[in-house]
Amino acid sequence: MGHSRIGLALAGGGPAGAVYEIGALRALDEALDGLDLNDCHVYVGVSAGSFLAACLANGMTPAQLVRAVGDTVPARHPFHSDVFFRPALGELLLRSWMTPKLLADALWDWARRPWDQSLLDALLRVSRALPVGLFDNEPLRAFLAHSFTGFPGRTDDFRELGRHLVVVAADLDSGTAVRFGEPGFDHVPISRAVQASTALPGIYPPVLIDGRYYLDGVLLKTLHGSVALEAGAELLLCINPIVPVDTEDAVEAGVMRRGKLVDRGLPTVLSQTFRTLVHSRLTVGLASYAPRWPDRDVLLFEPPRDDYRMFFTNVFSLTTRRSVLEHAYRATRRSLRDRAGELGPVFERHGLRFRPDAFDDLDRDPWSGVGLGPTVAGDSVTDRLTSALDRLDAVLERTRAG
């Protein structure tokens, strides 16, 4: 039987989500005979998923992405804080410059009409001076532009790509989804489109393209898998790293105390809220596909809700980053084995099959065949220091939990 048209839809999830998706992609690539993740019919990426979709469409193999995650040279991977958390100095300075005038206008307006509004009401206009983003994602765009133009066979131009790649972002002024890579939006460089799709409000400023501002595409939908189905994908593989955490197992393991997510402060509460909203919307979206495309198959791969390791992870150290990728790789392999009875017939309908040795060793690591060894501290002072800091952080976490 010939191969069906296969689509790949990758959701967001920030740096940790991207690492998780790379591990999952590596597991799928190894387990399935007939699957070529560099030759899909259509690629759809949102937020962090747009970064990976663009890499795969540009010919970077899952093995190469795995090697990049485990690389010790910062110039060869984007997973370091200077790429994601460089202060948006231009935005911060602009808003600071606006503050004195806004404050003076507010006070003058109140002084002229003190009976019409309180001083607090008048001062609300100063909120316009709040920055629309704390960090600059221009370094990520520059990294991608170099990755797509500095190597033979790659391109930063949708029109020269040779693959159907769609990067989804949200138009700030209209509140609608924009599909970069589709006609009318394919002149925008791929790296700029990914920058727009990853511009999470409050974290990064909106990205200006052709006179309009764009934000993270996850604001509208989690996966935008319908884009791939509309493009003719017969089998759609979806990877979503964003799930709300269920802390029950974490409590049982002694990692945290019951009901104490709130003790971790506003970022953790916002993260759980965001994950819950996004995942709920994903569930509703997937349920709508079957009535519209009854002859298509859609398969979702994501962490289980009790996978609290993905919730409390910072991937900016080498050891932790490798650990997350190993975890995602093994978790996906186990999921494939556990769901083999369900997935096997679906894959076979589309010309794919599990390899005979797909589940021989579920504890093997993803580094074999990519030129990197298993997760161990390296010989360099930096690697040893990173490993020590990771262990210290784990000890402090257990101490806080106790």
Side-chain angles (χ1 to χ4, degrees):
M1 177 181 180
H3 290 178
S4 298
R5 291 181 298 228
I6 296 174
L8 184 65
L10 302 177
V19 173
Y20 185 94
E21 289 183 310
I22 291 172
L25 289 165
R26 176 65 169 164
L28 288 168
D29 185 50
E30 284 189 343
L32 292 171
D33 187 21
L35 177 64
D36 185 352
L37 290 171
N38 297 117
D39 192 25
C40 292
H41 176 70
V42 58
Y43 299 85
V44 179
V46 184
S47 196
S50 69
F51 162 78
L52 297 178
C55 290
L56 291 168
N58 249 304
M60 301 182 200
T61 66
Q64 288 175 314
L65 294 174
V66 168
R67 184 164 62 246
V69 169
D71 206 317
T72 58
V73 180
R76 292 199 290 258
H77 68 81
F79 298 103
H80 45 93
S81 56
D82 188 54
V83 169
F84 289 95
F85 297 123
R86 180 183 297 179
L89 295 179
E91 170 69 13
L92 296 174
L93 289 173
L94 172 64
R95 300 292 169 167
S96 298
W97 178 80
M98 292 169 56
T99 302
K101 184 178 186 306
L102 287 171
L103 180 59
D105 288 347
L107 292 174
W108 173 246
D109 190 46
W110 173 75
R112 287 189 303 114
R113 299 179 301 161
W115 62 88
D116 189 46
Q117 59 182 334
S118 69
L119 178 60
L120 181 59
D121 292 334
L123 290 175
L124 285 177
R125 73 172 59 186
V126 182
S127 64
R128 299 175 192 171
L130 292 174
V132 294
L134 298 176
F135 303 105
D136 184 6
N137 59 358
E138 176 64 20
L140 177 61
R141 187 212 60 79
F143 176 87
L144 287 176
H146 171 72
S147 298
F148 296 157
T149 59
F151 299 87
R154 300 179 190 173
T155 179
D156 200 25
D157 191 326
F158 284 102
R159 298 164 296 187
E160 298 175 358
L161 190 57
R163 297 285 182 270
H164 188 179
L165 169 67
V166 179
V167 172
V168 183
D171 185 312
L172 175 62
D173 294 307
S174 68
T176 58
V178 172
R179 304 176 182 182
F180 291 107
E182 300 275 80
F185 294 94
D186 55 357
H187 66 285
V188 177
I190 297 172
S191 58
R192 183 70 70 188
V194 172
Q195 181 188 19
S197 185
T198 56
L200 187 64
I203 305 299
Y204 300 110
V207 176
L208 180 63
I209 300 175
D210 295 339
R212 299 188 70 86
Y213 287 94
Y214 296 93
L215 293 167
D216 196 320
V218 81
L219 298 177
L220 298 171
K221 293 182 182 178
T222 305
L223 268 173
H224 292 269
S226 59
V227 175
L229 295 171
E230 290 171 3
E234 297 165 304
L235 171 63
L236 179 59
L237 304 178
C238 306
I239 303 179
N240 168 52
I242 309 175
V243 294
V245 66
D246 183 343
T247 62
E248 190 66 32
D249 282 357
V251 171
E252 295 299 325
V255 175
M256 64 181 299
R257 290 176 291 168
R258 188 178 304 278
K260 291 300 181 181
L261 274 181
V262 69
D263 287 350
R264 294 174 177 266
L266 180 61
T268 297
V269 173
L270 289 178
S271 177
Q272 178 75 329
T273 303
F274 176 76
R275 286 165 174 264
T276 303
L277 291 172
V278 166
H279 195 266
S280 174
R281 192 172 54 188
L282 169 66
T283 304
V284 173
L286 289 176
S288 71
Y289 294 165
R292 297 173 62 189
W293 294 282
D295 57 338
R296 315 288 181 86
D297 288 306
V298 179
L299 300 177
L300 174 66
F301 301 93
E302 63 182 5
R305 290 174 62 97
D306 60 359
D307 193 349
Y308 53 88
R309 183 184 306 189
M310 284 302 301
F311 192 83
F312 303 118
T313 297
N314 181 334
V315 294
F316 294 113
S317 78
L318 173 65
T319 306
T320 305
R321 191 166 63 245
R322 282 188 164 203
S323 176
V324 168
L325 190 141
E326 285 185 10
H327 171 68
Y329 169 80
R330 289 170 176 155
T332 304
R333 281 168 50 79
R334 290 190 176 91
S335 175
L336 288 170
R337 180 203 58 184
D338 295 342
R339 299 170 61 189
E342 164 206 349
L343 299 177
V346 177
F347 286 136
E348 290 185 8
R349 281 201 299 270
H350 299 281
L352 308 178
R353 287 175 177 80
F354 284 118
R355 292 194 169 94
D357 62 344
F359 311 121
D360 284 354
D361 180 12
L362 292 177
D363 291 324
R364 79 179 182 210
D365 64 61
W367 312 111
S368 57
V370 303
L372 292 172
T375 303
V376 293
D379 294 330
S380 71
V381 173
T382 301
D383 284 347
R384 292 199 301 272
L385 177 60
T386 298
S387 179
L389 290 174
D390 286 342
R391 291 195 300 271
L392 175 60
D393 186 61
V395 170
L396 292 174
E397 186 61 57
R398 288 195 296 269
T399 301
R400 288 194 295 267

